[in-house]
Amino acid sequence: MFLGERLKQKQLITDDDIEQILAIQQQSSMGQRQRFGELCISHGLCSEQDVLIALHEQLELPMMADVLSQYFGDDLPGNELALSLFQAQWWQQRQAFPLHRDGDQILVAQADIWDDFVFEALLHQHQLQATPVLCSNYELRQLISGFDAERQAGNALIEQESSAAPVVKFVNECIQRAIKENASDIHFEVNKQQFFVRYRVDGVLRTVDQPGMAQHAAILSRIKLMAGLDISEKRLPQDGRIRVRLSGQQVDIRVATTPTVYGENAVLRLLANENTHKPEEKQKTLDMLPDQKAIIEEILHKKTGIFLVTGPTGSGKTTSLYTLLGRVNDDQTKIITVEDPVEYQMKGLTQIQVNADIGLTFASVLRSALRQDPDIMLIGEMRDKETAQIAVQSALTGHFVLSTLHTNDAPSSFIRLKDIGIPDYLIKSTIVGVMAQRLVRKLCPHCKRPDPNGDQAAHQVGFADVQQNWGALLPADIQWYKASPEGCEHCNSTGYHGRLAIFELLGWSDAETAELDMRQLQAVAREQNMRSLRQDALMRAARGETTLEEVLRVVG
């Protein structure tokens, strides 16, 4: 069975995709014709791993992960075998690396398993029978990067010119791996003579690759080209957007480049889209404790007013707002969103993206949106007085408005609105609720372990108050856990897998307080028995969902 048929059998590509790839192959000259699998990867039809697995089944060749597991455990092989056969530069030029020798048999990881040159050289010069091992470009770079520094000198040009690992494939591979590992951002960062690729997974950055400095300019140019940016402009920051098909899936990516003293950096924010985030799936993400759910239900039943969600960038504010929209989105309700940019796409909503370059500002769009007879409006952010005034006017004229604000906690939102320039009486008469939130990492259920010092540590950070006020929501037998230092395969060896939101929720009515100052606002919060972010996080830790270390990392 041909490779295309196997990929089709796995429902990774279609007959039309096969015809498209074959047509591209026929248009190429024989000497430059790319393999079928390479074209599938570069055109985003399937991932590199999909192609490798299909080749493994078709040709019955070993996979590198299996070879490493059999002979080296969790380690990578050393360079001794490779350097006993040929110089480091030779292996880099051929994009190959010997893994294991058994008598006259040798296993060799190769970027191009059809390259007979390595096979012939090992046979004629060392009388070795080579078996190609299927490996990804990333796995091969890990092996080759292990050569001594002096043997790597002068090889940057070779790496740059290697046709086995083109820049297009590298960038696609970075995005595909990020999606697979549930990363929210990809950072391409250049430092002094170093170029890093880092993923932000569950809110924490980690380095996943270190391509050569010689590839920096080409990789940044490829990203700019995909995002429709000016590839010749390297002195100014640029923002763009990519919509790409990878592994048969539409992926929306927000791109931001910025110049640094060592060169340009780029950050790619992987945005949710209609295919990957259905409303019923997002419904599960707003995972609140019962007392907070009751307050949210009461707020959602109000037909007018402003509900604010606060927190720093990346704290899940937009996800929470769209979760709430999913609750009220039906055929009887007209919902308009005004955002910069539109990060989620949801069926049934009228979604408008701000574009200040052509005069399509928040204020101008909101005025127009009000003439579209909406019942509910989502404003991406209250960032200035004009936007806030329109939101207030909308609430006063019978609309329900959802929006975000950048403050540290829920009570501070009222002070922030005053600072923007909204009078006290308008704030008090339009706000119906404020919710601050953060994201904490969830413990990996497969490798978490009991924390013997949990009771003592928890009481040092105020858990006694939590027990006194919300003990009914806690398990009868509290067991504290900590993350496994070595992790496991389910959590990428981090000890954590996924994130959950912690909340600080304040319901509001006009009669709550006479003055909008922090002392009065905090008194209202106490009267409502509002949990702070730290207290809510401690409850999550007491329920075995996260760790005390993670609570302190996020909320201090």
Side-chain angles (χ1 to χ4, degrees):
M1 186 185 296
F2 290 115
L3 177 61
E5 290 299 320
R6 286 189 178 273
L7 294 171
K8 176 188 168 185
Q9 195 176 59
K10 294 174 180 289
Q11 298 184 333
L12 295 168
I13 61 175
T14 64
D15 285 328
D16 290 341
D17 294 330
I18 294 175
E19 290 181 11
Q20 176 192 354
I21 296 301
L22 292 176
I24 295 171
Q25 278 187 318
Q26 290 172 0
Q27 292 171 4
S28 307
S29 60
M30 286 299 296
Q32 297 179 339
R33 183 168 294 180
Q34 284 184 277
R35 309 288 183 193
F36 186 92
E38 290 179 349
L39 287 170
C40 284
I41 296 168
S42 63
H43 283 72
L45 300 178
C46 51
S47 70
E48 185 178 25
Q49 192 65 18
D50 294 332
V51 172
L52 291 176
I53 291 173
L55 286 172
H56 166 68
E57 295 170 354
Q58 178 188 12
L59 305 174
E60 298 184 352
L61 290 176
M63 300 279 286
M64 184 169 136
D66 296 332
V67 174
L68 293 181
S69 176
Q70 180 179 354
Y71 295 110
F72 304 100
D74 295 329
D75 298 324
L76 291 174
N79 305 322
E80 296 80 9
L81 177 58
L83 297 176
S84 70
L85 299 169
F86 297 105
Q87 293 183 354
Q89 184 174 337
W90 188 90
W91 292 110
Q92 286 190 313
Q93 285 177 319
R94 304 316 310 175
Q95 286 292 288
F97 192 93
L99 298 172
H100 178 72
R101 177 177 178 175
D102 185 4
D104 62 353
Q105 302 293 317
I106 188 168
L107 298 173
V108 181
Q110 287 183 247
D112 184 1
I113 59 170
W114 312 104
D115 184 1
D116 290 336
F117 186 89
V118 174
F119 178 89
E120 297 291 342
L122 289 168
L123 180 62
H124 291 144
Q125 294 197 36
H126 299 285
Q127 293 73 53
L128 293 173
Q129 293 282 344
T131 299
V133 174
L134 295 162
C135 67
S136 68
N137 285 305
Y138 172 67
E139 290 172 327
L140 188 60
R141 280 198 303 277
Q142 281 187 306
L143 293 171
I144 293 178
S145 67
F147 286 122
D148 294 338
E150 63 270 16
R151 294 190 179 274
Q152 290 182 329
N155 285 327
L157 185 60
I158 296 169
E159 185 178 347
Q160 182 185 29
E161 294 177 349
S162 170
S163 61
V167 169
V168 171
K169 185 185 291 187
F170 175 83
V171 174
N172 283 353
E173 175 194 338
C174 286
I175 297 172
Q176 286 164 341
R177 286 180 55 217
I179 293 169
K180 182 179 178 181
E181 296 184 21
N182 294 317
S184 60
D185 303 85
I186 309 173
H187 292 242
F188 294 86
E189 298 176 336
V190 62
N191 209 316
K192 189 175 183 180
Q193 299 303 314
Q194 290 181 310
F195 182 30
F196 297 99
V197 180
R198 300 203 288 172
Y199 290 169
R200 187 179 293 280
V201 181
D202 295 336
V204 178
L205 277 172
R206 62 183 179 87
T207 301
V208 297
D209 207 343
Q210 190 173 347
M213 276 297 295
Q215 288 187 301
H216 171 258
I219 290 172
L220 266 291
S221 294
R222 171 61 184 169
I223 292 169
K224 287 181 179 179
L225 196 64
M226 294 172 73
L229 304 178
D230 183 356
I231 62 173
S232 65
E233 180 56 76
K234 297 179 171 63
R235 302 163 301 169
L236 298 173
Q238 297 187 70
D239 294 306
R241 195 179 182 106
I242 299 171
R243 171 165 283 188
V244 63
R245 185 184 177 204
L246 292 172
S247 301
Q249 171 186 334
Q250 283 293 128
V251 181
D252 285 325
I253 303 167
R254 192 168 67 202
V255 179
T257 67
T258 187
T260 74
V261 292
Y262 295 112
E264 278 189 297
N265 285 358
V267 176
L268 278 59
R269 166 68 59 89
L270 305 182
L271 304 175
N273 56 47
E274 195 172 23
N275 295 328
T276 56
H277 289 264
K278 301 293 184 184
E280 59 269 21
E281 292 175 335
K282 291 199 293 292
Q283 177 64 35
K284 301 173 185 176
T285 64
L286 198 56
D287 182 14
M288 288 180 152
L289 295 173
D291 58 337
Q292 294 170 329
K293 283 183 179 179
I295 298 173
I296 283 289
E297 289 297 327
E298 183 181 345
I299 290 171
L300 287 180
H301 278 94
K302 297 182 178 180
K303 300 300 182 183
T304 63
I306 299 173
F307 179 67
L308 295 173
V309 180
T310 79
T313 302
S315 59
K317 300 187 298 297
T318 305
T319 301
S320 292
L321 286 175
Y322 268 88
T323 302
L324 299 179
L325 286 184
R327 296 284 306 279
V328 297
N329 183 19
D330 54 40
D331 290 339
Q332 291 78 43
T333 307
K334 174 71 174 283
I335 302 175
I336 295 180
T337 76
V338 182
E339 304 168 78
D340 182 21
V342 174
E343 296 191 15
Y344 291 90
Q345 294 177 9
M346 184 182 286
K347 186 178 179 181
L349 272 57
T350 301
Q351 297 177 276
I352 306 170
Q353 180 158 319
V354 170
N355 186 347
D357 293 339
I358 60 171
L360 199 65
T361 62
F362 266 106
S364 62
V365 173
L366 286 171
R367 291 192 193 94
S368 172
L370 285 171
R371 294 192 287 271
Q372 297 294 312
D373 188 29
D375 298 298
I376 298 173
M377 293 179 63
L378 185 151
I379 302 173
E381 181 187 346
M382 286 195 193
R383 57 179 64 181
D384 53 39
K385 182 178 180 179
E386 191 174 14
T387 304
Q389 284 176 331
I390 295 173
V392 168
Q393 292 166 7
S394 302
L396 290 172
T397 53
H399 302 88
F400 188 52
V401 180
L402 300 147
S403 188
T404 69
L405 205 62
H406 286 285
T407 63
N408 289 328
D409 54 31
S412 298
S413 301
F414 296 89
I415 307 302
R416 173 68 178 139
L417 289 175
K418 286 180 65 174
D419 290 342
I420 288 176
I422 306 301
D424 281 20
Y425 73 95
L426 287 178
I427 297 173
K428 291 195 293 180
S429 60
T430 54
I431 297 295
V432 294
V434 182
M435 182 173 76
Q437 75 174 68
R438 300 290 189 277
L439 296 175
V440 297
R441 290 182 293 172
K442 293 166 62 177
L443 270 167
C444 174
H446 301 279
C447 64
K448 67 180 182 181
R449 56 183 60 177
D451 183 357
N453 302 316
D455 280 327
Q456 180 182 354
H459 282 81
Q460 288 177 347
V461 291
F463 184 66
D465 291 339
V466 174
Q467 276 186 307
Q468 180 179 348
N469 290 289
W470 302 283
L473 299 175
L474 296 172
D477 183 20
I478 294 174
Q479 174 65 65
W480 304 95
Y481 291 93
K482 60 182 179 180
S484 169
E486 61 274 7
C488 66
E489 61 181 5
H490 300 282
C491 60
N492 284 325
S493 303
T494 64
Y496 297 93
H497 183 66
R499 288 191 288 179
L500 60 88
I502 55 172
F503 302 101
E504 184 176 286
L505 183 57
L506 183 65
W508 188 261
S509 68
D510 192 6
E512 292 287 2
T513 183
E515 297 292 333
L516 289 180
D517 58 55
M518 281 306 296
R519 184 179 58 82
Q520 296 267 16
L521 291 167
Q522 288 169 352
V524 171
R526 285 193 297 271
E527 289 172 12
Q528 292 192 14
N529 200 28
M530 183 194 79
R531 279 195 301 281
S532 68
L533 288 167
R534 176 188 288 193
Q535 290 169 332
D536 200 46
L538 285 171
M539 292 188 71
R540 296 298 192 149
R543 292 161 65 95
E545 297 171 0
T546 188
T547 65
L548 291 169
E549 291 83 358
E550 182 68 4
V551 171
L552 296 177
R553 184 187 72 85
V554 174
V555 296

